[in-house]
Amino acid sequence: MVSQALMLDAEEGELLKEPARIGKMGISEAKAFAALKSHSEAERRRRERINAHLATLRGLVPCTEKMDKATLLAAVISQVKELKKNALEACKDLLVPMDDDEVKVETYFDRTLHFKASICCDYRPELLSDLQNAIDALPLKMVSTEISTLGSRLKNEFVLADRRNKNALDDAGAIQLLTNSIHQTLTSVLEKGSASPEYSPGTTLPNKRRRVTFFDSSSSSS
């Protein structure tokens, strides 16, 4: 609030207005106006950034029709889902770590019983030694192993063969029991990593979704 007062000019003998003075209320209003102006400027820059990003998205979506923001975002979501689906299909036969924690076990026959097992999870320093110890404890021999990493993700695939005599291969119950044992062994390694401090809910690392896939010998092909 600006206040003015009258003063007497001794030489002219006239009443004159004193120079304008800003009172406490005027100072508060000035500060409020400056803050409002700063906020408006920040909001204008924010809208400009949003519009620039929306313009970029419009150039990425394969559609020539003019779309409002909601329609544009829906189209982008649909496009991302389609790209992710295509990427998963392209990587289906490749050893590429995915986002989900996963354990898979398959059985097949190639003159003898073989187990194809894999584990996908976040890498940790003790992971490989834990896997080695777990596999060594099984009544199986290692035929081959393959490891692939992508960022902090790791996928390890094993091919294992039965050490027992050939007659054991005719026992479907024994095969099922051994398959379950492999599955449980790899799952325990996976759970050990999830329970470690660096993967606890209190850290900044997100908890991974876990997917366990199991195939018995009747559904696998040689």
Side-chain angles (χ1 to χ4, degrees):
M1 181 177 182
V2 178
S3 61
Q4 290 183 317
L6 297 177
M7 60 179 293
L8 178 63
D9 188 334
E11 295 181 357
E12 300 291 337
E14 295 179 355
L15 291 175
L16 303 176
K17 291 182 178 181
E18 286 186 342
R21 293 179 298 177
I22 301 177
K24 291 183 179 180
M25 185 175 295
I27 294 175
S28 298
E29 290 181 354
K31 289 182 178 180
F33 177 77
L36 180 60
K37 183 178 180 180
S38 176
H39 175 75
S40 298
E41 184 66 20
E43 183 65 19
R44 182 185 64 79
R45 290 194 298 267
R46 186 184 71 85
R47 288 195 301 268
E48 289 177 350
R49 290 196 302 270
I50 291 175
N51 291 333
H53 292 321
L54 290 174
T56 301
L57 289 177
R58 286 189 177 92
L60 297 175
V61 175
C63 183
T64 58
E65 298 179 2
K66 185 173 178 61
M67 296 178 288
D68 58 26
K69 294 178 182 179
T71 304
L72 173 62
L73 292 177
V76 170
I77 292 172
S78 177
Q79 181 72 5
V80 170
K81 288 181 177 180
E82 183 66 22
L83 291 174
K84 185 174 181 180
K85 178 183 176 182
N86 293 340
L88 290 174
E89 291 178 353
C91 298
K92 187 175 182 180
D93 297 326
L94 300 176
L95 192 67
V96 179
M98 297 291 106
D99 292 334
D100 295 342
D101 288 349
E102 181 181 49
V103 170
K104 293 176 64 176
V105 181
E106 302 177 40
T107 61
Y108 67 94
F109 288 92
D110 182 12
R111 294 191 299 272
T112 185
L113 177 63
H114 285 77
F115 297 88
K116 185 178 180 181
S118 66
I119 180 173
C120 182
C121 60
D122 280 318
Y123 174 78
R124 53 186 173 84
E126 302 85 5
L127 177 62
L128 298 182
S129 61
D130 288 344
L131 287 172
Q132 183 66 54
N133 293 334
I135 296 298
D136 288 345
L138 295 170
L140 302 166
K141 64 178 180 180
M142 182 81 72
V143 176
S144 65
T145 182
E146 188 176 358
I147 299 177
S148 176
T149 61
L150 182 62
S152 63
R153 302 290 290 169
L154 177 143
K155 186 172 184 178
N156 199 343
E157 187 174 270
F158 312 90
V159 175
L160 310 167
D162 194 353
R163 292 174 177 170
R164 299 174 300 176
N165 57 61
K166 190 174 181 179
N167 293 332
L169 303 182
D170 298 328
D171 187 349
I175 294 175
Q176 184 69 42
L177 185 62
L178 191 53
T179 303
N180 291 342
S181 179
I182 299 171
H183 170 270
Q184 293 172 1
T185 297
L186 294 180
T187 300
S188 66
V189 174
L190 186 63
E191 290 175 345
K192 181 179 180 181
S194 299
S196 61
E198 55 266 41
Y199 300 102
S200 64
T203 63
T204 57
L205 289 176
N207 291 327
K208 299 292 181 180
R209 297 184 299 275
R210 182 173 302 165
R211 182 172 65 227
V212 177
T213 307
F214 170 78
F215 298 91
D216 60 24
S217 57
S218 62
S219 63
S220 62
S221 59
S222 57

